[in-house]
Amino acid sequence: MVSLLLRVESLKKVYPNKTALDALSFAMEKGEIVGIIGESGAGKSTLLRILRGAESFDGGTIRLNGLEIRPDSPKEEFLELQKVTAIQLQRSFGLWPDSAVDNVIRAIRFSERGEETLPESSEGEYYEYRERALKFLKAVGLEGRADLWSAILSGGEKQRLIVARQIARGPELLILDEPGTMTCPATRSELIDALKGARRELGLSIIYASHNPQIHRDLADRMLLIEDGRIVHEGRTEDVL
């Protein structure tokens, strides 16, 4: 049975000299990976920032798993949207100088306490968090690298660790802007494998924007083509490309 996660209806965003999104509408299911493509300035990044709750909009409605956001919704509801989404930007390499597993523990602690702290390693609490963190490392194929210092991981492993930290925050929807675009083919392949693993192991839903056709071929279940703030085509990846 299909379970709807996200519905965007007539979304509108107007900047002083440009209409960035013009009555844009689409929906996605739980566990789906949706890719967005379009020329620079088409509205892709604006859409992602709005879905994250990081930017206001001028018309329409966002419904995400029971949460409904309108332009005049109170600030608390936009903050709630930020709690149920996570975003990974193109140049996001923020890692703690800790082991891989401790990096993920810090992300879990942030989702629960609002700060990226570690429990004392001598306490039983630490080992409870470690077990939880290992689940996320396994989802991205890093369980065998759990105790390695983040600085000595390869570029692809760092990308996967960043994904593990994002999904450890427990988002309903993971948002990515140009995933893997600035990386070599091997690192990009590892990142895509990590995202697929997170979907397979955790049922994660993902929406992302990319200019790279091969990333869409390797990752997307379905695609949206945006032109001038409107969706002009959506469907199977090869059809849209």
Side-chain angles (χ1 to χ4, degrees), residues 144-207:
R145 315 289 275 174
D147 294 309
L148 291 184
W149 207 248
S150 63
I152 68 170
L153 297 175
S154 69
E157 289 169 341
K158 288 176 181 176
Q159 290 275 351
R160 284 189 277 164
L161 180 54
I162 292 167
V163 172
R165 280 174 45 81
Q166 295 289 6
I167 63 179
R169 298 172 187 266
E172 299 284 348
L173 178 65
L174 178 61
I175 302 165
L176 304 105
D177 196 0
E178 296 292 343
T181 297
M182 304 296 290
T183 61
C184 69
T187 298
R188 185 163 58 243
S189 178
E190 288 187 44
L191 174 61
I192 289 170
D193 286 346
L195 293 169
K196 287 181 174 180
R199 193 261 293 270
R200 182 176 61 251
E201 297 288 333
L202 305 171
L204 186 66
S205 306
I206 300 170
I207 188 167

Side-chain angles (χ1 to χ4, degrees), residues 31-87:
E32 192 174 23
I33 300 179
V34 175
I36 304 171
I37 199 168
E39 294 182 351
S40 296
K44 304 183 302 299
S45 293
T46 298
L47 172 60
L48 296 184
R49 290 196 301 268
I50 291 173
L51 293 178
R52 170 62 174 152
E55 185 161 333
S56 63
F57 55 100
D58 301 297
T61 307
I62 299 170
R63 295 183 176 88
L64 177 59
N65 204 24
L67 181 64
E68 183 172 308
I69 306 292
R70 299 179 182 275
D72 58 354
S73 293
K75 180 180 178 180
E76 291 75 18
E77 293 188 4
F78 281 89
L79 292 175
E80 188 63 29
L81 184 58
Q82 292 181 21
K83 289 180 181 178
V84 298
T85 59
I87 191 165

Side-chain angles (χ1 to χ4, degrees), residues 1 24 47 55 104 113 116 135 160 163 185-186 214 223 227 233-235:
M1 182 177 178
L24 183 146
L47 172 60
E55 185 161 333
V104 179
R113 300 166 179 250
E116 294 205 3
K135 177 182 71 172
R160 284 189 277 164
V163 172
Q214 193 57 49
M223 286 186 63
E227 290 182 3
H233 190 44
E234 62 178 297

